[in-house]
């Protein structure tokens, strides 16, 4: 299996114009340098330049920002990639303005309304060109407030706190919010109604830095599928995530107290956890470090956006003044770390395509079994025909002679015919009623940690009536000097297909080393949960880097099912 190509997180900086009121509008010390540089000049002795993918100065328009970020995201989404944009920065630095803006003013619209407008315009163009194409779009909008997840599009009663939702993972370890409402959308106008409703439901409050400071992290998810009537064309699906993070704050500046102070602590905690995750993902010196994304609800919800199946953009907004220089430098460092993060985005084919492909493989497998059975039957029939010819000749000789030897040969021929017939019946019975493989699927993994590691692998086969089988495994890896040992254990199979009631068998091997192959015996299907006792120890000796060898060498496990 070839490795998925990596794509780096794209990072852009937007410098907010100065605000001409009060003492906060001090000397400008942050400026744009070229199309991708930010120059920080606190004084003539301390000058530092940062480089990113794009930098937008104070004169950049909303349209400029969209063309560099929103337009590429739209193109990748229609190719079938998951895409994500998250806006980060100090409170009052212009995150929500850049992401949402004024949806009633064409010039002041942010990335989100422009993206949605182009999403539906492109959908209409594609449907007009191909009558067999159907494009479906649905919206979900949630917020993380005080480490609780709420549905921003669910009906609310005044004075009553909305229900807190739980975060779950499906069988493919994809994160989702259980109970969040899904709204199917047919056009731009309906999408804008949902966007306005969701923004109106967000937790906001006035601080000294911002009159309408967002007190929660808002995540809008747009699910899009492209379905074709013809099976010759690939059905695609993708998830588009637009994230408006709450602004980081310093209590000494915002002068928050009471509930606002508690909100600020939760906001800063989740942003701190997100920052630690970014640092871990971007630290190329410590590839084996454990990265926990469960420290906060925010990092868990954004887990696919960093190192996962997504193409990700980051827009960091900063203030240009000396008064905010501490927060600005923190944001620029935050963004620099994101530049080093690499994701493994892949095109998302729909379930229907996967099922059809596996059906074709199953048909080819059954046709091969039938061919083998017919060949064996033809051989047996040929022997029967030869015996019948011999018997006919012997009968002819008996009719012309009473020789005892001829009668003995005839009896022997008759006995041989009976034996061949019995063997033929035995072969046919074994082919029709014996154990015969009805499916097989090969899954792969690589060793990623020292010690015990538990995981579940999806077996890529069509199961004719349910989810794909799941193989439960664990590894126990020890690195020592120039040697390395890895014990691989397969313990059980979940969702085993009901039609394979004849039992299950697993075979494992390491990479191209065929002599490392080991197979279990065929075990009972056990009502869809076969219990396995298959283990193998893989040892690597006298290599310069056993850790690198194991991590780059894939392990393969073949799962087979048998008919009764």
């Amino acid at each position: 299996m070839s490795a998925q190509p990596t794509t780096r997180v794209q990072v852009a900086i937007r410098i907010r114009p100065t605000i001409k009121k009060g003492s906060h509008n001090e000397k400008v010390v942050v400026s744009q340098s070229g199309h991708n540089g930010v120059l920080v000049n606190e004084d003539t002795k301390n000058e530092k330049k940062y480089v990113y993918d794009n930098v937008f100065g104070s004169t950049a328009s909303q349209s400029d920002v969209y063309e560099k970020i929103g337009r590429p995201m739209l193109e990748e989404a229609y190719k079938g990639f998951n895409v994500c944009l998250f806006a980060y920065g100090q409170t009052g630095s212009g995150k929500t303005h850049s992401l949402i803006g004024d949806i009633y003013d064409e010039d002041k619209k942010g990335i989100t309304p422009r993206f949605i407008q182009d999403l539906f315009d492109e959908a209409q163009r594609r449907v007009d060109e191909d009558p067999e194409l159907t494009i479906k779009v649905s919206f979900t909008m949630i917020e993380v407030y005080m480490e609780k997840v709420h549905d921003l599009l669910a009906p609310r009663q005044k004075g009553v706190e909305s229900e807190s939702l739980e975060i779950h993972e499906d069988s493919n370890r994809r994160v989702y919010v259980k109970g969040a409402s899904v709204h199917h959308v047919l056009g731009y106008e309906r999408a804008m109604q949902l966007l306005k409703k969701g923004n109106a439901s967000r937790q906001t409050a006035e601080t000294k830095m911002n009159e309408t400071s967002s007190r929660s992290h808002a995540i809008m998810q747009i699910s899009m599928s492209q379905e074709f009537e013809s099976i010759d064309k690939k059905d695609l699906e993708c998830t588009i995530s637009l994230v408006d993070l709450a602004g980081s704050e310093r209590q000494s500046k915002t002068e928050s107290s009471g509930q606002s102070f508690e909100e600020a602590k939760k906001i800063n905690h989740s942003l701190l956890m997100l920052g630690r995750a970014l640092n871990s993902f971007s630290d190329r010196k410590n590839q084996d470090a454990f990265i926990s994304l469960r420290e906060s609800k925010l990092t868990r919800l954004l887990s696919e956006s960093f190192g996962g199946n997504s193409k990700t953009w980051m827009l960091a907004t900063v203030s240009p003044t000396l008064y905010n220089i501490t927060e600005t430098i923190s944001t620029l460092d935050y963004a620099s770390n994101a530049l080093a993060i690499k994701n493994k985005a892949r095109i998302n084919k729909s379930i229907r395509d996967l099922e059809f492909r596996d059906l074709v493989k199953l048909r080819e497998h059954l046709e091969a079994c039938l061919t083998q059975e017919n060949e064996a039957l033809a051989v047996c029939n040929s022997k029967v025909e030869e015996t019948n010819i011999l018997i006919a000749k012997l009968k002819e000789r008996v009719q012309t002679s009473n020789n005892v030897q001829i009668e003995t040969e005839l009896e022997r021929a008759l006995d041989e015919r009976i034996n061949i017939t019995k063997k033929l019946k035995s072969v046919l019975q074994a082919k029709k009623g014996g154990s015969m493989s009805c499916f097989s699927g090969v899954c792969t993994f690589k060793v990623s940690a020292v010690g015990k590691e538990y995981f579940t692998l999806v077996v890529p086969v069509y199961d004719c009536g349910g989810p794909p089988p799941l193989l439960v495994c664990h590894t126990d890896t020890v690195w020592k000097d120039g040697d390395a040992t890895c014990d691989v254990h397969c313990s059980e199979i979940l969702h085993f297909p009901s039609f394979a009631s004849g039992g299950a068998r697993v075979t494992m091997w390491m990479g191209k080393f065929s002599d490392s192959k080991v197979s279990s015996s065929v075990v009972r299907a056990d009502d869809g949960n076969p219990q396995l006792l298959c283990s193998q120890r893989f040892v690597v000796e006298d290599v310069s880097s056993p850790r690198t060898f194991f991590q780059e060498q894939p392990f393969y496990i073949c799962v087979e099912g048998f008919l009764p």
Side-chain angles (χ1 to χ4, degrees):
M1 179 182 292
S2 60
Q4 291 289 344
T6 58
T7 56
R8 181 174 57 77
V9 173
Q10 299 293 300
V11 180
I13 303 295
R14 189 174 192 183
I15 303 173
R16 189 201 68 189
T18 56
I19 301 174
K20 298 179 180 180
K21 67 175 185 177
S23 60
H24 293 179
N25 187 25
E26 295 186 6
K27 182 174 75 169
V28 173
V29 295
V30 179
S31 60
Q32 182 179 4
S33 177
H35 76 280
N36 64 347
V38 175
L39 191 63
V40 179
N41 189 6
E42 297 181 57
D43 54 59
T44 55
K45 296 181 180 179
N46 296 316
E47 183 177 278
K48 184 175 182 181
K49 183 177 180 179
Y50 296 82
V51 178
Y52 304 96
D53 295 296
N54 286 289
V55 173
F56 304 101
S58 58
T59 60
S61 66
Q62 295 282 69
S63 177
D64 295 334
V65 178
Y66 173 74
E67 290 300 323
K68 292 293 186 180
I69 298 176
R71 185 77 65 185
M73 287 178 58
L74 184 68
E75 293 173 357
E76 297 298 334
Y78 268 102
K79 293 177 184 177
F81 290 102
N82 294 335
V83 295
C84 174
L85 166 64
F86 71 102
Y88 175 85
Q90 176 189 7
T91 183
S93 60
K95 296 182 306 300
T96 304
H97 171 72
S98 299
L99 204 59
I100 308 296
D102 185 350
I103 62 177
Y104 300 104
D105 188 323
E106 193 63 33
D107 293 332
K108 296 181 181 179
K109 282 183 179 179
I111 295 174
T112 300
R114 292 172 187 267
F115 182 93
I116 295 172
Q117 178 72 70
D118 287 352
L119 177 77
F120 284 107
D121 288 347
E122 179 65 13
Q124 187 63 53
R125 186 189 67 79
R126 290 177 178 240
V127 170
D128 290 342
E129 288 183 355
D130 189 347
E132 293 188 345
L133 172 62
T134 300
I135 297 179
K136 298 178 181 178
V137 179
S138 61
F139 273 46
T140 299
M141 195 169 181
I142 60 174
E143 71 171 353
V144 179
Y145 172 68
M146 298 289 284
E147 280 302 293
K148 294 182 180 180
V149 181
H150 300 283
D151 186 350
L152 290 173
L153 299 179
R156 294 192 177 186
Q157 295 182 2
K158 189 174 182 180
V160 178
E161 183 179 355
S162 63
E163 179 185 2
S164 178
L165 305 178
E166 296 296 326
I167 301 175
H168 290 262
E169 291 183 4
D170 62 15
S171 59
N172 294 320
R173 295 192 174 181
R174 291 179 297 192
V175 175
Y176 69 96
V177 178
K178 185 177 182 180
S181 59
V182 178
H183 301 262
H184 297 283
V185 182
L186 299 178
Y188 173 75
E189 290 74 15
R190 175 56 178 160
M192 287 302 96
Q193 291 176 359
L194 293 173
L195 179 61
K196 287 187 286 186
K197 179 180 178 180
N199 279 333
S201 300
R202 285 188 68 181
Q203 297 287 342
T204 60
E206 181 179 356
T207 69
K208 196 168 183 180
M209 296 288 292
N210 190 353
E211 294 179 357
T212 57
S213 174
S214 300
R215 316 306 291 166
S216 68
H217 309 294
I219 302 175
M220 171 184 284
Q221 284 193 333
I222 305 173
S223 298
M224 180 177 67
S225 64
Q226 302 175 68
E227 301 175 0
F228 295 88
E229 294 181 12
S230 171
I231 60 176
D232 296 330
K233 297 181 180 180
K234 297 178 181 179
D235 291 354
L236 301 174
E237 58 188 12
C238 70
T239 300
I240 302 155
S241 301
L242 301 167
V243 185
D244 184 11
L245 299 176
S248 59
E249 349 183 309
R250 295 174 63 188
Q251 195 274 338
S252 60
K253 287 186 177 181
T254 59
E255 298 183 5
S256 57
S257 60
Q259 178 68 12
S260 295
F261 181 61
E262 294 300 318
E263 292 171 345
K265 287 199 298 184
K266 293 292 185 181
I267 292 170
N268 289 338
H269 171 74
S270 61
L271 293 177
L272 175 62
M273 293 301 103
L274 180 59
R276 288 180 177 175
L278 294 182
N279 290 340
S280 300
F281 277 113
S282 63
D283 186 2
R284 303 269 66 88
K285 298 178 181 179
N286 191 9
Q287 296 283 346
D288 299 323
F290 174 70
I291 303 171
S292 176
L293 297 173
R294 296 176 177 267
E295 295 296 329
S296 75
K297 299 291 179 64
L298 178 62
T299 53
R300 194 174 181 194
L301 287 170
L302 296 180
S303 58
E304 278 294 304
S305 301
F306 305 111
N309 179 24
S310 175
K311 292 196 174 185
T312 301
W313 283 257
M314 174 184 182
L315 176 62
T317 56
V318 297
S319 167
T321 64
L322 181 62
Y323 178 76
N324 294 308
I325 190 61
T326 301
E327 292 85 351
T328 295
I329 291 177
S330 175
T331 300
L332 294 175
D333 290 338
Y334 206 99
S336 295
N337 285 334
L339 280 169
I341 299 174
K342 293 183 179 180
N343 292 350
K344 297 180 180 179
R346 62 181 182 273
I347 295 176
N348 300 293
K349 297 180 182 178
S350 72
I351 297 175
R352 192 192 76 169
D353 281 330
L354 295 176
E355 289 180 350
F356 176 75
R357 184 179 63 196
D358 291 335
L359 276 174
V360 171
K361 289 183 178 179
L362 179 60
R363 185 191 66 186
E364 293 174 349
H365 174 73
L366 293 177
E367 287 177 347
C369 292
L370 182 60
T371 300
Q372 292 177 1
E373 184 175 331
N374 289 335
E375 291 175 352
L377 185 60
V379 171
C380 292
N381 285 335
S382 177
K383 290 184 178 180
V384 170
E385 186 176 350
E386 291 174 0
T387 305
N388 286 335
I389 293 173
L390 177 59
I391 291 173
K393 290 180 179 180
L394 290 174
K395 282 183 177 180
E396 184 178 351
R397 291 175 62 185
V398 169
Q399 290 174 358
T400 58
S401 174
N402 292 323
N403 191 295
V404 176
Q405 184 178 358
I406 295 177
E407 293 180 356
T408 303
E409 291 178 0
L410 178 60
E411 290 177 357
R412 187 184 302 116
L414 290 173
D415 290 340
E416 185 177 352
R417 179 183 181 185
I418 292 172
N419 291 333
I420 292 176
T421 303
K422 287 181 179 179
K423 290 180 180 179
L424 174 60
K425 290 182 179 179
S426 177
V427 169
L428 293 176
Q429 184 178 3
K431 291 295 181 180
K432 293 180 180 179
S435 296
M436 185 173 69
S437 173
C438 60
F439 79 81
S440 67
V442 178
C443 39
T444 183
F445 68 93
K446 290 185 179 179
V447 175
S448 62
V450 179
K452 289 189 176 182
E453 181 180 19
Y454 295 85
F455 53 89
T456 302
L457 301 175
V458 178
V459 183
V461 298
Y462 176 70
D463 62 2
C464 297
L470 303 176
L471 179 63
V472 180
C473 310
H474 75 270
T475 59
D476 193 354
T477 309
V478 178
W479 323 107
K480 186 176 181 181
D481 299 328
D483 301 337
T485 302
C486 179
D487 293 325
V488 182
H489 307 275
C490 301
S491 58
E492 61 179 327
I493 305 175
L494 307 177
H495 307 313
F496 193 68
S498 59
F499 64 81
S501 56
R505 178 174 65 192
V506 297
T507 302
M508 69 174 72
W509 67 95
M510 181 174 68
K512 59 185 178 181
F513 302 100
S514 58
D515 57 350
S516 67
K517 185 174 293 188
V518 63
S519 298
S520 72
S521 58
V522 178
V523 300
R524 294 185 307 169
D526 202 9
D527 295 329
N529 187 21
Q531 303 296 306
L532 304 169
L533 291 173
C534 185
S535 301
Q536 175 70 330
R537 170 166 290 182
F538 301 94
V539 180
V540 175
E541 298 178 336
D542 299 327
V543 295
S544 59
S545 178
R547 181 191 300 267
T548 302
F549 180 87
F550 262 135
Q551 290 178 341
E552 292 181 350
Q553 190 66 40
F555 287 77
Y556 299 93
I557 302 179
C558 176
V559 179
E560 297 178 274
F562 296 88
L563 293 174

